[in-house]
Amino acid sequence: MRPQLAISLLTLGAVLAAPGCATTSPEPSRLAGCETGAVRLTQDFSTAPGYACQREGEAAFELSVLPEDPEINPSPWYAFDLHADEATDAEVALDYADYRHRYQPRIELEDGHWAALPADVVTVSEDGHQAMLALDIPAGVTRIGAQEVIPIEARADWRAAFADRNGMSRAVIGDSREGRPIEALTRQASTSNAPLIIILGGQHPPEVTGVLGLRAFLDTMFGPHADATVLDAYQWLIIPDLNPDGVEHGHWRHNTGGLDLNRDWGPFTQPETAAAFAAIEQQIMNGHAPFLLLDFHSTRRDVLYTPPDGAALTPFAFSEDWISLIESEWTGDDPAFDRGPSHNVGMPTSKTWFADTYAAPGVTVEYGDNTDRDRIIALSQTAARALTRYLDSQTANSRP
């Protein structure tokens, strides 16, 4: 017996605009039976993986949610559209094979915002290998995703708008394996030898809460209430979307070279990480010594992965000092970030490579998959204000 339908998406205002065209479309043979009829399931937009789909009834479908490569971090991403000629009940089964359900499904609302589907809409098998979505959909197009769907074009639009309103320059620093541009944003320091701060994002495609956190952090750090004196004292290099191919194709983890980009810092075998490294080295050649790297991600909790305590880095004890300032700024009922001071030591991640290469701190900023979106914004704003206070203290100590 399939579960009873538990929610009306009409009450969520989930009548969506028609989806845009993707760069590539799933092979028709893989979706046989799903893209025709009065109720249809399609995956022909940016970030949709194009999984094998099987029709189980007039308005019932099964998706085989499988990764792009074996031996991968279990981040089973999915995104699809349901088309209905008229309001109806619909069911979508997610079959993860040997993997387990991770993400609470979300739906795009009529106003473009996203909301989590209530828990009683989703029935997960005891072993976690299957999940059933029981829906009551309106006429039109309803978009469902493991997290908010942020297509390639929307990410480019955000970068352009952010750079324009904050007086930053934009430059293509390289291309992905499939030829998509890797773009960096730069804010020039007021002095030629100012220290360099690097901010990264988008290495792992499904980590959307990391994208939301990065944007809120940057909006606070550089927005209308920012301390220009502090910002001017540093050279800023920001690369928000390092894995555009993986995002476009709905990958769980990898680029189209079959590699986790956050395991390629040092080897730099992939064009995406090689472009980031070249951009950093160019800043160093221009006289800006590496000072700090922040890399934004998602995981199962809000946590900062930092260098080990006592590491011989300059500035010394940055993580401890920054976290202390975050805690002093934080007004939430629960603690802000957890801390992991010995995470992935010795692995070719961005933060470890940065510390080992430049003897400067690198920190991975992680937001929980299911962290409330208002909390993500609050955490990011608090972290940005705390960093501003920290940098202000550093510049004050260096003044004559």
Side-chain angles (χ1 to χ4, degrees):
M1 294 288 292
R2 295 189 185 276
Q4 294 296 311
L5 303 176
I7 184 171
S8 170
L9 300 189
L10 288 167
T11 64
L12 292 176
V15 181
L16 310 180
C21 296
T23 302
T24 58
S25 299
E27 297 174 17
S29 61
R30 298 183 65 219
L31 299 180
C34 292
E35 292 188 308
T36 59
V39 182
R40 305 171 295 283
L41 186 151
T42 64
Q43 305 168 83
D44 57 356
F45 55 90
S46 175
T47 80
Y51 293 131
C53 177
Q54 179 174 323
R55 183 180 287 276
E56 299 289 334
E58 290 185 3
F61 309 90
E62 182 178 274
L63 286 177
S64 297
V65 182
L66 297 174
E68 62 272 15
D69 298 299
E71 302 298 325
I72 199 168
N73 178 279
S75 305
W77 169 263
Y78 49 87
F80 55 86
D81 285 339
L82 290 171
H83 308 252
D85 292 346
E86 57 185 35
T88 188
D89 298 342
E91 296 176 344
V92 179
L94 306 174
D95 185 354
Y96 300 110
D98 294 332
Y99 299 91
R100 288 178 172 81
H101 182 74
R102 172 170 175 174
Y103 300 112
Q104 175 67 22
R106 302 182 75 84
I107 180 170
E108 187 176 16
L109 305 179
E110 189 175 24
D111 61 2
H113 290 88
W114 287 76
L117 291 176
D120 59 1
V121 171
V122 185
T123 302
V124 181
S125 65
E126 188 172 343
D127 61 10
H129 294 313
Q130 293 87 30
M132 174 67 74
L133 313 185
L135 309 169
D136 189 3
I137 60 174
V141 185
T142 300
R143 180 162 291 179
I144 304 289
Q147 300 279 34
E148 293 87 340
V149 171
I150 309 178
I152 289 294
E153 297 82 359
R155 294 172 187 242
D157 290 345
W158 183 89
R159 293 194 304 270
F162 176 80
D164 288 346
R165 68 176 176 265
N166 292 295
M168 293 186 178
S169 61
R170 299 161 53 206
V172 174
I173 58 173
D175 294 320
S176 69
R177 289 181 67 94
E178 292 189 341
R180 295 182 176 88
I182 308 295
E183 190 172 57
L185 314 180
T186 305
R187 189 184 192 281
Q188 293 296 131
S190 58
T191 60
S192 59
N193 62 345
L196 174 64
I197 296 178
I198 300 147
I199 301 177
L200 302 173
Q203 294 204 68
H204 298 147
E207 297 183 5
V208 173
T209 57
V211 175
L212 301 177
L214 170 61
R215 291 182 177 185
F217 180 89
L218 293 175
D219 283 337
T220 303
M221 199 77 210
F222 297 96
H225 302 294
D227 189 329
T229 301
V230 171
L231 296 180
D232 287 346
Y234 295 85
Q235 181 78 0
W236 299 85
L237 176 66
I238 304 166
I239 308 173
D241 298 293
L242 193 57
N243 188 2
D245 293 349
V247 170
E248 176 66 25
H249 295 296
H251 285 184
W252 291 18
R253 188 80 169 179
H254 295 168
N255 71 340
T256 51
L259 195 71
D260 180 342
L261 293 183
N262 205 30
R263 301 296 184 271
D264 191 46
W265 287 81
F268 299 115
T269 64
Q270 302 302 297
E272 297 89 348
T273 49
F277 173 56
I280 293 169
E281 286 291 291
Q282 184 61 56
Q283 292 289 338
I284 295 170
M285 290 176 58
N286 291 342
H288 302 291
F291 181 86
L292 172 66
L293 179 143
L294 301 179
D295 187 7
F296 284 71
H297 288 262
S298 303
T299 188
R300 300 179 188 274
R301 61 192 174 113
D302 307 319
V303 59
L304 300 176
Y305 291 126
T306 72
D309 290 336
L313 305 174
T314 303
F316 182 71
F318 163 79
S319 302
E320 297 93 311
D321 293 343
W322 184 34
I323 290 171
S324 177
L325 289 170
I326 290 173
E327 291 172 347
S328 71
E329 289 263 349
W330 181 244
T331 59
D333 294 333
D334 298 324
F337 293 97
D338 293 336
R339 184 183 176 214
S342 300
H343 184 257
N344 287 340
V345 172
M347 295 184 69
T349 63
S350 63
K351 75 175 183 64
T352 300
W353 166 82
F354 190 78
D356 291 347
T357 303
Y358 302 119
V363 177
T364 304
V365 183
E366 302 259 13
Y367 298 85
D369 299 331
N370 297 318
T371 297
D372 180 84
R373 277 31 181 178
D374 289 338
R375 175 180 165 88
I376 289 175
I377 293 172
L379 283 172
S380 300
Q381 292 172 337
T382 300
R385 289 193 298 267
L387 182 59
T388 298
R389 288 176 58 191
Y390 177 85
L391 297 178
D392 185 45
S393 69
Q394 293 291 303
T395 56
N397 291 337
S398 65
R399 294 181 191 123

